[in-house]
Amino acid sequence: MRALPAPGRRCQIVRFAAVGGVNTLTFYACYLPLHRLLPYFAAYTAAFVTSMAGSFFLNTYFTYRTRPTWTKFLLFPLTQVTNYGVQSAGLVALVGWCGMNTAVAPLVAALCALPFSYLVSRRILRPSAPTGPSTEAGPPPVRSGGPA
């Protein structure tokens, strides 16, 4: 029998899921209007790229409780490449093979990609030291408001 994750890890998974929910709502709010103007896959791609920046800041500050850096910001798209790949494959399979409605399929595909996205983002965004504030060296932190 497999042991449950440590309480701190469970909280992190819950926070990751909450951020994923907010990010999914942001994505969907972009996708639906674009879907009226573009083919579903083009609308999906544009909405996905649009929601990526918010996801980065929510995950660094809220999920992993670390400071954003330029290095993490530049590496973060790797988490999204994984997420995009798994979701895209799921989207095409759900629409093309299963005949699922193109308005609903992105949500189902996002749920399927959640575990993969968590593992990759945790690897990139989580500070190397498990306790205390992040002491990692690197470029100055990315600020969300105005010029640095």
Side-chain angles (χ1 to χ4, degrees), residues 13 16-21 24 83 86-87 108-121:
I13 291 169
F16 181 80
V19 167
T24 299
N83 195 14
V86 173
Q87 282 191 37
V108 176
L111 285 174
C112 295
L114 192 62
F116 301 100
S117 182
Y118 173 76
L119 293 172
V120 175
S121 69

Side-chain angles (χ1 to χ4, degrees), residues 20-21 23-29 31-32 44 87 90-91 94-95 100-114:
N23 194 48
T24 299
L25 290 174
T26 302
F27 159 80
Y28 209 53
Y31 173 75
L32 287 178
Y44 164 79
Q87 282 191 37
L91 180 65
L94 291 168
V95 171
M100 187 175 282
N101 182 299
T102 58
V104 176
L107 297 175
V108 176
L111 285 174
C112 295
L114 192 62

